[in-house]
Amino acid sequence: MSTTESPKNVDAGEIAKFEALASRWWDPESEFKPLHDINPLRANWIDKQAAVAGKRVADVGCGGGLLSEALAQRGAQVTGIDMGEAPLSVARLHQLESGLQIDYRQMTAEQLAEEAPEQFDVVTCMEMLEHVPDPAAVIQACARMVKPGGQVFFSTLNRNPKSYLFAIVGAEYLMRLLPRGTHEYSKFIKPSEMGHWVREADLEMTELMGMTYNPLSKRYKLTPHDVQVNYLMRCTKPE
Ligand code: SAH
């Protein structure tokens, strides 16, 4: 984007997709079912690795606040940022119901990094990189906002024939877990590409964790050996 009013590195079409669905964000049987299903898995994993209680966490691309709330419930002091207005409104309303205090703000990762460099103990950026024009720049911003010694957690979709089959054909067409057009295959990211961007941002990759979906049991689980479709990456910023 080149206009001065619109922040850089935002795909308006992608934001619009999430705006349109936002009212159903907290309905566990809605288009957001996959996010509800993976939320306890990823929140527990992050908490186990980063012990979030009492820590400052930035949740980048927080949407309706599923992960922000899960981390706040575990005692974290969370700032959730997103460029979608409707998802943020939903998140702000929902936290009242949950009795949590999360600071939700409409801004990009790059803007938060500029405003609050090295201010966060933990940064999470889940299922968001595959929706931005320049994911490497978001990774750089996450690296800038985390304190030295802090951790950054990313998650996204791998790019290979199996991920095309599972994440697009399976999830959007056969099982209808997600609306058609939710994901664009070419924007999926291989772990090697993530690894390269993470190193360029002066982060160290500390762990790569797969997440697999079993269509028969309809359950997700964390699988350290299988990063073919969904995966999470844990990084550390050197002291
Ligand atoms: N991280 C959340 C939501 C994932 S959906 C979760 O995993 O539960 C992807 C979110 O990224 C949407 O809410 C969308 O509005 C947001 N997003 C997309 N591009 C963005 C950008 N450039 N800056 C901030 N948020 C963005």
Side-chain angles (χ1 to χ4, degrees):
M1 274 189 218
S2 55
T3 54
T4 44
E5 313 86 61
S6 329
K8 285 201 208 105
N9 203 10
V10 178
D11 182 333
E14 290 290 318
I15 303 298
K17 277 188 212 168
F18 292 102
E19 300 259 24
L21 304 171
S23 64
R24 295 193 288 281
W25 210 291
W26 282 89
D27 175 354
E29 298 308 320
S30 71
E31 295 87 344
F32 296 100
K33 181 171 172 38
L35 291 182
H36 283 268
D37 290 346
I38 65 176
N39 207 41
L41 279 180
R42 61 190 187 177
N44 286 335
W45 183 64
I46 292 166
D47 194 24
K48 193 165 148 231
Q49 309 299 346
V52 299
K55 297 206 172 137
R56 276 198 80 183
V57 176
D59 186 21
V60 172
C62 62
L66 290 179
L67 184 67
S68 298
E69 283 208 7
L71 296 177
Q73 253 147 13
R74 286 163 177 79
Q77 205 185 313
V78 183
T79 300
I81 62 161
D82 202 282
M83 283 307 285
E85 183 129 28
L88 283 176
S89 308
V90 168
R92 287 190 185 109
L93 273 177
H94 198 273
Q95 69 164 340
L96 298 177
E97 241 172 80
S98 308
L100 295 166
Q101 275 195 329
I102 295 162
D103 183 20
Y104 285 116
R105 305 181 57 194
Q106 188 175 17
M107 65 198 310
T108 63
E110 289 87 339
Q111 288 167 331
L112 182 60
E114 183 77 35
E115 187 189 295
E118 305 201 333
Q119 294 293 302
F120 297 94
D121 302 289
V122 175
V123 176
T124 56
C125 179
M126 308 265 120
E127 314 304 322
M128 183 265 199
L129 293 171
E130 68 276 19
H131 300 285
V132 297
D134 182 359
V138 174
I139 293 173
Q140 291 269 354
C142 292
R144 237 181 306 144
M145 62 181 89
V146 73
K147 294 177 187 172
Q151 297 193 75
V152 187
F153 296 82
F154 298 106
S155 74
T156 191
L157 285 155
N158 200 343
R159 192 176 70 255
N160 55 49
K162 185 173 173 188
S163 71
Y164 179 75
L165 200 67
F166 273 65
I168 297 190
V169 180
E172 295 184 14
Y173 289 82
L174 300 177
M175 307 200 60
R176 312 237 167 113
L177 294 170
L178 294 170
R180 288 181 191 183
T182 298
H183 285 120
E184 206 179 306
Y185 177 68
S186 63
K187 307 227 57 191
F188 291 2
I189 302 169
K190 294 185 179 180
S192 56
E193 294 162 342
M194 278 279 280
H196 175 71
W197 293 333
V198 153
R199 277 190 300 279
E200 297 243 288
D202 293 325
L203 291 174
E204 279 169 14
M205 190 211 298
T206 17
E207 194 175 356
L208 185 62
M209 175 61 81
M211 198 163 45
T212 52
Y213 179 69
N214 180 334
L216 296 177
S217 65
K218 300 194 173 162
R219 298 192 88 116
Y220 288 88
K221 67 173 183 196
L222 293 180
T223 44
H225 52 279
D226 184 356
V227 296
Q228 289 284 300
V229 185
N230 289 88
Y231 68 94
L232 302 106
M233 191 180 280
R234 175 163 74 96
C235 305
T236 308
K237 178 159 166 170
E239 297 269 2

